[in-house]
Amino acid sequence: DAMVIQNPRYQVTQFGKPVTLSCSQTLNHNVMYWYQQKSSQAPKLLFHYYDKDFNNEADTPDNFQSRRPNTSFCFLDIRSPGLGDAAMYLCATSRVAGEADTQYFGPGTRLTVL
Amino acid sequence: AQSVTQLGSHVSVSEGALVLLRCNYSSSVPPYLFWYVQYPNQGLQLLLKYTSAATLVKGINGFEAEFKKSETSFHLTKPSAHMSDAAEYFCAVSVSGGYQKVTFGTGTKLQVIP
């Protein structure tokens, strides 16, 4: 089945220690998104790629970076995690970036910062 | 700017009873509206979406939603709740803006009581 895969499902890191979260997709979609979801809150878009074009949300902290080496993979790098960065990180894809396009989500990575 | 408001962070219904989850939107241009469901420790899955065709939209798992422009609402309903419907439900809005930026509501947790 075509899907969006996130690894690891659970990640524990120490305060200030860089961490990388991974997302891969077999849907061959052009767009990949990263969301941050804190407990009992709405998913918040951090950034997205349309093919190789990177689009950062204005309020995404500089501490968050992303890489998309090819169509299938996208990484979220948190350079110096703080306690406030503990959250579920969701990766999503869409075929194109049309306003009516469905986004397909991975299961998420739950990040704990000690 | 677009936004959605979900009334009620928690809703409880008895098994077999009507499910009604409320969503009101705000948008200066015609919106596209979505309902996503999130099961524990999983990503979001599309239930249904409104794309300016029929105002009554049918989705998966017996859910449907009606777009009412006069009320700026897009409430989600299901005639008879099933235990497997227990999850968190997110209403979301998207408008034309060069790329799809989806704004999610804060979610409603549905509890189904046997």
Side-chain angles (χ1 to χ4, degrees):
Chain A
D1 286 342
M3 56 176 59
V4 182
I5 301 162
Q6 291 188 245
N7 286 304
R9 293 292 310 277
Y10 300 90
Q11 176 73 56
V12 180
T13 190
Q14 292 181 332
F15 183 95
K17 184 174 181 181
V19 65
T20 295
L21 309 182
S22 169
C23 177
S24 63
Q25 54 127 342
T26 60
L27 297 160
N28 203 32
H29 282 173
N30 293 305
V31 191
M32 296 187 77
Y33 308 81
W34 279 106
Y35 290 87
Q36 179 192 64
Q37 185 182 24
K38 295 187 176 180
S39 181
S40 300
Q41 295 184 22
K44 177 180 178 297
L45 181 65
L46 295 174
F47 26 59
H48 78 278
Y49 276 93
Y50 192 122
D51 289 333
K52 294 185 182 296
D53 293 334
F54 178 71
N55 296 273
N56 198 31
E57 293 301 300
D59 57 355
T60 298
D62 292 340
N63 197 27
F64 291 86
Q65 304 286 319
S66 185
R67 297 171 282 134
R68 188 179 186 185
N70 54 53
T71 300
S72 300
F73 284 87
C74 195
F75 300 98
L76 170 63
D77 300 308
I78 309 176
R79 294 193 296 188
S80 181
L83 298 178
D85 297 327
M88 176 78 88
Y89 289 88
L90 296 169
C91 174
T93 73
S94 64
R95 188 177 58 83
V96 291
E99 52 275 328
D101 276 348
T102 298
Q103 292 191 17
Y104 295 83
F105 285 80
T109 295
R110 185 168 296 281
L111 177 68
T112 300
V113 182
L114 300 177
Chain B
Q2 72 234 32
S3 65
V4 289
T5 302
Q6 292 185 242
L7 297 174
S9 58
H10 291 81
V11 170
S12 293
V13 300
S14 298
E15 190 175 16
L18 172 71
V19 176
L20 171 60
L21 304 182
R22 299 178 186 273
C23 173
N24 288 89
Y25 69 90
S26 174
S27 173
S28 58
V29 297
Y32 298 88
L33 295 159
F34 306 80
W35 275 100
Y36 283 86
V37 61
Q38 185 177 32
Y39 297 100
N41 295 314
Q42 294 188 29
L44 281 70
Q45 178 186 7
L46 181 73
L47 275 177
L48 50 82
K49 63 181 176 181
Y50 167 75
T51 59
S52 75
T55 56
L56 182 62
V57 182
K58 295 186 184 298
I60 62 171
N61 301 338
F63 285 93
E64 63 182 36
E66 186 171 8
F67 174 73
K68 291 187 176 180
K69 184 178 179 180
S70 61
E71 298 177 9
T72 61
S73 69
F74 191 58
H75 302 329
L76 181 71
T77 60
K78 181 174 180 177
S80 176
H82 192 273
M83 295 299 294
S84 60
D85 295 328
E88 188 157 20
Y89 293 79
F90 291 91
C91 183
V93 63
S94 171
V95 297
S96 176
Y99 69 91
Q100 187 201 56
K101 179 167 181 178
V102 174
T103 301
F104 288 90
T106 51
T108 298
K109 285 188 178 175
L110 176 66
Q111 180 186 23
V112 182
I113 303 166

